[in-house]
């Protein structure tokens, strides 16, 4: 019984990937598809079946695009968030007292 060795693998905190996507991303895309079906059937009347089908197909595809990796090791949604959050340069005139009357 003393011969048995129990080792801890090095990658105990590694995240599971399937087809290059993390499990959390796959669950997110799957949940978005379920939400798209449930919302699409309530939102669109039966006469607009083409729009409903497009909505149901495009919603998970857009969510899939957002979780795909981009350059720099970030995901597309993180890159878009950083783009919109960045500070805009504010230019201040050097002669800011020009309009002041004395």
């Amino acid at each position: 019984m003393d011969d048995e060795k129990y080792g801890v693998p090095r990658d105990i905190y590694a995240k599971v990937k399937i087809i290059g996507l993390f499990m959390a991303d796959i669950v997110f895309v799957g949940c978005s598809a379920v939400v798209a079906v449930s919302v699409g059937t309530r939102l669109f009347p039966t006469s607009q079946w083409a729009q409903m089908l497009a909505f149901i197909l495009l919603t998970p595809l857009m969510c899939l695009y957002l979780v795909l990796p981009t350059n720099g090791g970030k995901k597309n949604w993180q890159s878009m968030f950083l783009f919109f959050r960045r500070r805009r340069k504010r230019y201040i005139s050097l002669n800011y007292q020009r309009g002041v009357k004395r």
Side-chain angles (χ1 to χ4, degrees):
M1 293 219 172
D2 294 327
D3 296 342
E4 298 178 18
K5 295 180 182 177
Y6 297 100
V8 177
R10 288 186 290 164
D11 292 337
I12 195 165
Y13 295 110
K15 296 182 180 178
V16 178
K17 275 188 173 181
I18 297 176
I19 314 171
L21 293 174
F22 293 113
M23 283 298 295
D25 297 340
I26 293 172
V27 168
F28 174 71
V29 173
C31 288
S32 71
V34 170
V35 169
V37 168
S38 65
V39 170
T41 54
R42 292 181 185 175
L43 186 65
F44 296 100
T46 55
S47 62
Q48 294 181 342
W49 61 271
Q51 289 88 346
M52 180 178 65
L53 186 62
F55 177 77
I56 291 172
L57 291 176
L58 290 177
T59 300
L61 286 176
M62 287 188 289
C63 290
L64 178 65
Y65 171 76
L66 290 175
V67 297
L68 286 176
T70 186
N71 290 340
K74 298 200 177 300
K75 297 177 183 173
N76 283 326
W77 71 268
Q78 292 170 326
S79 298
M80 292 171 72
F81 179 74
L82 288 174
F83 174 76
F84 289 120
R85 200 192 80 179
R86 70 180 180 174
R87 292 184 188 205
R88 306 272 189 238
K89 292 183 179 179
R90 295 183 182 141
Y91 296 100
I92 300 173
S93 173
L94 293 177
N95 192 6
Y96 63 93
Q97 293 182 351
R98 183 187 312 182
V100 178
K101 295 182 181 179
R102 294 181 196 187

